[in-house]
Amino acid sequence: MSREDEPATQAPPRVDMPGIARVAVWEDAEVRASVDAVVAAVETPAGIVSVTVGGLDGLAADDDSEAARAYWMEHNTETQGRVRVADPVVVDGVEMARARGRLGTDVVEAFFHADGEATVEAIFMIPASMGEAEREEWIGQVLVTLELA
């Protein structure tokens, strides 16, 4: 299933996500909210595409984006096997560190921004059977809506 290259439009339930002023998810996504994160998932012919967006502050915040990525790469439970550093992306005018791994038949794409006061994470799980361009399109539709606080 290919989607038009347009931003996500569904406003998730408002939760206190430190470091995040606004984010939208895919219009047809099932959305769940926790204390400091939002999870959205869409069923596609290739499998389920999901994103978890959240923020941490206070003592839980990392000093910088690379530290946040390094910690996640060492301690995450979303991947199996090797996790690789990937090229960063610019979101809302700031660079987000990026890592990529696998979990079963999914590619896990993780994005991080930290400034010592807040750490923002966006973790995508996308079927590996989708091509790189389609995976990037799903990711871009959410990240283009992310406004950092």
Side-chain angles (χ1 to χ4, degrees):
M1 173 176 153
S2 180
R3 299 173 68 90
E4 292 183 35
D5 192 20
E6 295 180 6
T9 59
Q10 182 179 179
R14 186 69 191 142
V15 296
D16 183 23
M17 295 184 288
I20 301 172
R22 178 188 173 281
V23 67
V25 296
W26 310 290
E27 187 64 35
D28 46 355
E30 180 178 329
V31 181
R32 302 256 166 101
S34 68
V35 174
D36 57 4
V38 170
V39 179
V42 175
E43 191 167 344
T44 74
I48 294 176
V49 175
S50 69
V51 63
T52 302
V53 180
L56 304 166
D57 61 2
L59 294 175
D62 290 292
D63 290 334
D64 58 51
S65 300
E66 288 75 24
R69 178 184 58 208
Y71 183 85
W72 182 84
M73 287 176 69
E74 186 173 335
H75 299 285
N76 85 82
T77 58
E78 289 98 352
T79 61
Q80 297 170 329
R82 177 178 284 176
V83 178
R84 292 190 164 89
V85 171
D87 292 335
V89 298
V90 175
V91 175
D92 196 28
V94 299
E95 189 171 273
M96 292 188 81
R98 184 178 192 176
R100 178 181 291 156
R102 292 287 297 257
L103 178 61
T105 59
D106 288 337
V107 173
V108 180
E109 295 273 2
F111 300 84
F112 308 91
H113 173 68
D115 60 10
E117 293 183 24
T119 298
V120 172
E121 300 178 346
I123 314 293
F124 294 84
M125 298 184 92
I126 301 176
S129 61
M130 287 186 180
E132 180 84 17
E134 189 172 6
R135 287 195 309 267
E136 291 294 325
E137 193 173 301
W138 281 93
I139 291 167
Q141 289 171 350
V142 172
L143 290 184
V144 73
T145 72
L146 181 59
E147 293 177 14
L148 302 172

